[in-house]
Amino acid sequence: MRTSIFMSLALFGMITASAQSPEEKGLEIAEAAEEADLGFGSSIVDLKMTLKNKNGQSSERFLTNRTLELTEDGDKSLIVFNSPKDVKGTATLTFTHKVGSDDQWLYLPSIKRVKRISSNNKSGPFVGSEFAYEDLSSQEVEKYTYKFLDQKGSLLLVEQDPVDPKSGYTRRIVTYNKDKGYRIEKIEFYDRKNALLKTLTYSDYKLYKNKFWRADTFNMVNHQSNKETLLKFSGYNFGVDLSDDDFSQVALQRAGK
């Protein structure tokens, strides 16, 4: 009798697993990725941004990104440009929300003013780069609906459709690496006409605190404009003590001065 019960349970598990829908499996993968990255607390990292136009000409910018992890809602981030002179002091503050539109503000040192970024403008380019303002938001599970597409070895392909009707994308195809903490290897972005717009590739990963994977290189290629933005991260610091006060509009203005 014990053998037959265990066999029945195993068979039930196999049937349940095979009955899982692509939507359920896609959501499960996204939740696993979120769970794998929980607990980093806060971080500061320096970046070099290289902008390349369609003719291959390039320019460089240097910036700092601060992030505060929140569990009850989305994360907060503050990005400050340190050089060159024409963008120095420009700063962006993002409050990601699990439900509803994110809150974003831009500080422009030339006019010494904080400008709120309208939800209608989230698909616009971030300070001339191939990243949109909505790309700055943290990866919150609630911001998308999901559909598992394919598995290629350890790589899992999941379609993510934005819940926000004002998103500049109809969908994203995200490639997760299940053997490396469900870290993201690549994202393909499709525009409002459902044409491939951009591809973001993550590389040069490093493991911090034996848990948190961070890519040292982000490469965003715009297939429609033939432009490219390369981000090189260096000096990740997870030991900083950041609080909500470091992510206020006052802090935004102070960071840009």
Side-chain angles (χ1 to χ4, degrees):
M1 176 64 85
R2 285 178 67 186
T3 302
S4 63
I5 289 175
F6 288 134
M7 288 179 63
S8 297
L9 289 172
L11 180 61
F12 176 76
M14 292 172 62
I15 293 173
T16 302
S18 63
Q20 190 179 38
S21 71
E23 290 76 16
E24 290 170 335
K25 186 169 184 178
L27 175 59
E28 182 181 83
I29 292 167
E31 289 176 335
E34 182 179 65
E35 177 67 25
D37 201 53
L38 285 177
F40 69 86
S42 59
S43 67
I44 295 179
V45 64
D46 294 322
L47 299 89
K48 180 174 77 171
M49 173 187 284
T50 303
L51 307 178
K52 297 181 181 180
N53 64 21
K54 62 181 181 181
N55 298 318
Q57 298 170 319
S58 64
S59 60
E60 294 181 346
R61 297 170 176 179
F62 295 86
L63 49 152
T64 301
N65 183 28
R66 296 173 174 84
T67 303
L68 177 66
E69 180 186 35
L70 298 174
T71 55
E72 66 275 11
D73 202 0
D75 297 345
K76 295 181 179 181
S77 67
L78 176 61
I79 298 173
V80 182
F81 284 82
N82 303 317
S83 66
K85 187 176 180 180
D86 61 334
V87 294
K88 184 178 180 179
T90 301
T92 304
L93 178 64
T94 300
F95 289 4
T96 305
H97 299 302
K98 293 184 177 182
V99 178
S101 298
D102 299 334
D103 291 312
Q104 290 182 302
W105 298 269
L106 178 67
Y107 176 73
L108 298 170
S110 59
I111 59 175
K112 298 182 179 179
R113 280 186 53 197
V114 171
K115 176 183 177 183
R116 186 180 181 90
I117 301 171
S118 161
S119 57
N120 292 321
N121 296 327
K122 298 293 176 66
S123 60
F126 168 59
V127 196
S129 73
E130 297 313 303
F131 288 83
Y133 280 96
E134 66 178 296
D135 299 334
L136 307 181
S137 300
S138 57
Q139 303 277 334
E140 305 299 327
V141 170
E142 293 83 356
K143 300 184 80 66
Y144 303 92
T145 59
Y146 299 88
K147 182 179 180 181
F148 172 73
L149 299 177
D150 196 11
Q151 179 170 353
K152 299 177 181 179
S154 65
L155 302 181
L156 306 171
L157 277 66
V158 177
E159 179 178 317
Q160 300 182 349
D161 296 355
V163 174
D164 186 353
K166 295 181 180 179
S167 171
Y169 311 118
T170 52
R171 60 191 176 111
R172 315 187 321 169
I173 305 299
V174 181
T175 301
Y176 295 91
N177 191 330
K178 70 171 184 174
D179 290 348
K180 299 293 184 179
Y182 287 90
R183 71 188 192 191
I184 296 176
E185 304 287 351
K186 183 174 69 173
I187 303 178
E188 295 174 309
F189 301 83
Y190 290 78
D191 65 17
R192 298 304 301 175
K193 295 181 180 179
N194 203 26
L196 179 61
L197 175 61
K198 303 183 295 188
T199 298
L200 175 59
T201 304
Y202 299 74
S203 60
D204 303 322
Y205 266 102
K206 292 180 181 176
L207 186 63
Y208 294 87
K209 293 188 173 182
N210 295 316
K211 180 180 181 183
F212 307 115
W213 287 103
R214 293 293 183 270
D216 278 353
T217 305
F218 287 16
N219 190 23
M220 181 75 89
V221 176
N222 190 315
H223 302 288
Q224 298 182 12
S225 68
N226 292 321
K227 295 180 180 180
E228 183 178 341
T229 298
L230 186 70
L231 296 180
K232 298 288 289 186
F233 295 75
S234 62
Y236 263 108
N237 185 354
F238 290 95
V240 291
D241 184 18
L242 298 176
S243 68
D244 284 325
D245 291 339
D246 297 303
F247 297 87
S248 64
Q249 290 189 47
V250 173
L252 175 65
Q253 290 179 296
R254 186 170 60 242
K257 293 181 180 179

